[in-house]
Amino acid sequence: MRSIIVHGGAWDIPDDAVENHHQGILEAVSAGWEILHRGGTALDAVETAIRQMEEDPTYDAGRGSFVNAIGDVEMDASIMDGAALEVGAVAAIQDILHPITLARRVMERSEHVLLVSEGAMRFAREQDIPFCTPEDLLVGRELERWREIRKIPDYSGKIAFSGVPETGMNAPGDTVGCVALDERGNLAAGTSTGGTPNKYPGRVGDSPIIGSGTYALNSVGGASTTGWGESIMKVVLAKSVVDGIELLDMSPSAAAERGISQLRDRADGYGGVIVLDARGEPGVAWNTPRMARGWMNEKMKEPFAAV
Ligand code: GLY
């Protein structure tokens, strides 16, 4: 069954941002579904859906990314082809609107899995990936958020996701991701992010780490995660959810719930995960107040989206 699922972050999405998140998810699902519907590959569907959200300033990926501790945007992304266990990832890159496309180039045109920082950008130049200016990625909302965060003593990733008690401020985890299954039975998954707000320069989260942010294996399923990366990496969330399907014979929903329980119980973590099994059945779970998610498959008449 052709199938696609996307996420646009798990956090305390404010009421006035719900509509933008909902609309962005619908557009991303539709863009990816269009590829699958006309017989395209799962990889193309994942890349297309994520590019759509990287372009959209609503999310913490590409345009709209968070600002790090020295006022720069640094982004991470990964993509995985579940047919051959091929993977590509980039971390701590700057001035590129579509990190997911660069991750795919690493997968398809290099002998490596993960390139970071200057090396990744050197590879991008060799691959004729377009560069943009820092201002193309930095939106006023994030500059303002960064200024507010800088006023909070002892601000950290953990309080970003659990909420800053004195202020009620709850920083967004607007990482984006997608999992797709095409008509040939190939699964692909991808994730793209600007990381966490005010992160230390060079900090890398879960999103480009295969098994934590992204995983896909044709015979079992695929997953993409969002949330507080330092906790997600400790439970290798994406692979753990896929393992729930393979080793415990769980439904995608049950495997996703188990993964989020482990995130909370073992790592005191926060986040969300989307998953498809090898038949294209979707599952999703999160332990934050809201999660932006949506999906479409051959059993449905129109895409579903919710925040
Ligand atoms: N989940 C995104 C990050 O922590 O970087």
Side-chain angles (χ1 to χ4, degrees):
M1 173 173 79
R2 286 174 289 192
S3 184
I4 187 166
I5 185 166
V6 310
H7 69 75
W11 61 290
D12 194 3
I13 299 168
D15 290 346
D16 64 5
V18 165
E19 183 49 39
N20 281 353
H21 280 74
H22 189 270
Q23 187 58 30
I25 290 288
L26 274 183
E27 286 170 10
V29 171
S30 301
W33 179 250
E34 170 69 22
I35 304 274
L36 295 177
H37 188 63
R38 54 180 163 82
T41 67
L43 273 174
D44 282 345
V46 165
E47 183 185 0
T48 300
I50 291 180
R51 282 177 66 97
Q52 174 78 32
M53 290 189 281
E54 288 172 336
E55 191 97 38
D56 186 335
T58 302
Y59 305 102
D60 171 34
R63 180 176 294 123
S65 287
F66 291 146
V67 179
N68 73 9
I70 56 170
D72 289 337
V73 167
E74 283 188 348
M75 301 163 293
D76 309 328
S78 64
I79 194 162
M80 183 159 184
D81 176 0
L85 287 195
E86 293 293 341
V87 291
V90 292
I93 62 165
Q94 295 183 297
D95 304 342
I96 290 175
L97 180 57
H98 295 300
I100 195 67
T101 295
L102 183 55
R104 186 169 178 183
R105 292 289 175 87
V106 171
M107 177 175 78
E108 293 179 338
R109 301 194 193 171
S110 86
E111 60 177 305
H112 304 299
V113 163
L114 171 61
L115 294 178
V116 308
S117 193
E118 283 303 325
M121 292 191 287
R122 177 187 174 129
F123 180 70
R125 277 181 216 102
E126 289 171 7
Q127 294 292 318
D128 290 327
I129 296 280
F131 275 69
C132 60
T133 66
E135 292 73 30
D136 288 332
L137 303 178
L138 184 56
V139 300
R141 175 196 68 223
E142 292 311 326
L143 203 51
E144 192 50 40
R145 191 193 312 280
W146 182 65
R147 291 194 179 115
E148 289 302 311
I149 283 172
R150 304 283 292 176
K151 295 181 197 159
I152 300 170
D154 301 325
Y155 182 83
S156 68
K158 181 164 186 185
I159 60 172
F161 280 95
S162 53
V164 181
E166 302 77 35
T167 63
M169 183 176 189
N170 193 319
D174 261 353
T175 297
V176 305
C178 177
V179 186
L181 175 67
D182 65 30
E183 65 183 18
R184 287 164 287 278
N186 289 325
L187 271 162
T191 310
S192 180
T193 189
T196 48
N198 203 42
K199 64 187 180 180
Y200 197 87
R203 176 266 189 190
V204 173
D206 57 303
S207 303
I209 306 301
I210 296 301
S212 288
T214 300
Y215 201 77
L217 177 61
N218 269 10
S219 57
V220 184
S224 168
T225 68
T226 175
W228 179 32
E230 278 72 7
S231 61
I232 291 170
M233 286 188 277
K234 291 174 188 167
V235 297
V236 198
L237 183 58
K239 176 68 160 62
S240 155
V241 169
V242 173
D243 281 350
I245 298 172
E246 180 173 30
L247 305 178
L248 302 174
D249 205 20
M250 286 178 145
S251 70
S253 295
E257 290 292 352
R258 174 177 169 269
I260 292 299
S261 293
Q262 290 183 342
L263 177 68
R264 184 181 51 241
D265 298 343
R266 297 180 179 179
D268 202 12
Y270 298 89
V273 62
I274 54 169
V275 57
L276 290 183
D277 70 8
R279 292 169 307 170
E281 290 298 333
V284 57
W286 66 97
N287 68 342
T288 49
R290 283 178 165 148
M291 179 170 179
R293 74 268 182 205
W295 55 86
M296 176 68 186
N297 59 52
E298 282 175 23
K299 291 195 284 195
M300 299 166 65
K301 285 196 168 59
E302 55 189 39
F304 165 82
V307 179

